[in-house]
Amino acid sequence: NWTAGVLATYIGEQQYTKMTPQGGKAATADAYTLVDLTSSYKFGGGDKYEVYGGVNNVFDQEVEDILGSNVGTYVYMGMRANF
């Protein structure tokens, strides 16, 4: 039982206050789109086991640090078992 998915997340232009030694300064972060890919395979009696993986931020889109964490492109994988 294979599944696959694509998730695109669009974040519009954002206004924020950038702190400098001279005080707060109005700043604008550009809009960006993050694209993630996922896949999984379930097997065993009653789909007891699942192997999954994916790639987040496929195109290594940069996000301004002040607006949240973004480690760039990363790959993950794992296995689940239901008892």
Side-chain angles (χ1 to χ4, degrees):
N1 184 4
W2 283 100
T3 62
V6 177
L7 174 66
T9 305
Y10 173 78
I11 305 296
E13 183 177 271
Q14 298 178 67
Q15 310 295 318
Y16 65 97
T17 302
K18 184 174 187 175
M19 298 307 294
T20 67
Q22 294 77 29
K25 178 182 176 186
T28 301
D30 293 334
Y32 61 92
T33 301
L34 299 176
V35 177
D36 303 333
L37 303 175
T38 62
S39 183
S40 69
Y41 177 68
K42 292 182 180 181
F43 60 97
D47 289 341
K48 185 174 181 177
Y49 303 101
E50 178 183 15
V51 176
Y52 63 91
V55 180
N56 285 3
N57 196 0
V58 172
F59 301 111
D60 198 20
Q61 180 67 49
E62 290 187 27
V63 177
E64 293 194 36
D65 292 337
I66 192 99
L67 300 176
S69 67
N70 179 13
V71 296
T73 299
Y74 65 96
V75 177
Y76 64 92
M77 61 185 291
M79 183 174 180
R80 292 185 187 102
N82 296 312
F83 298 97

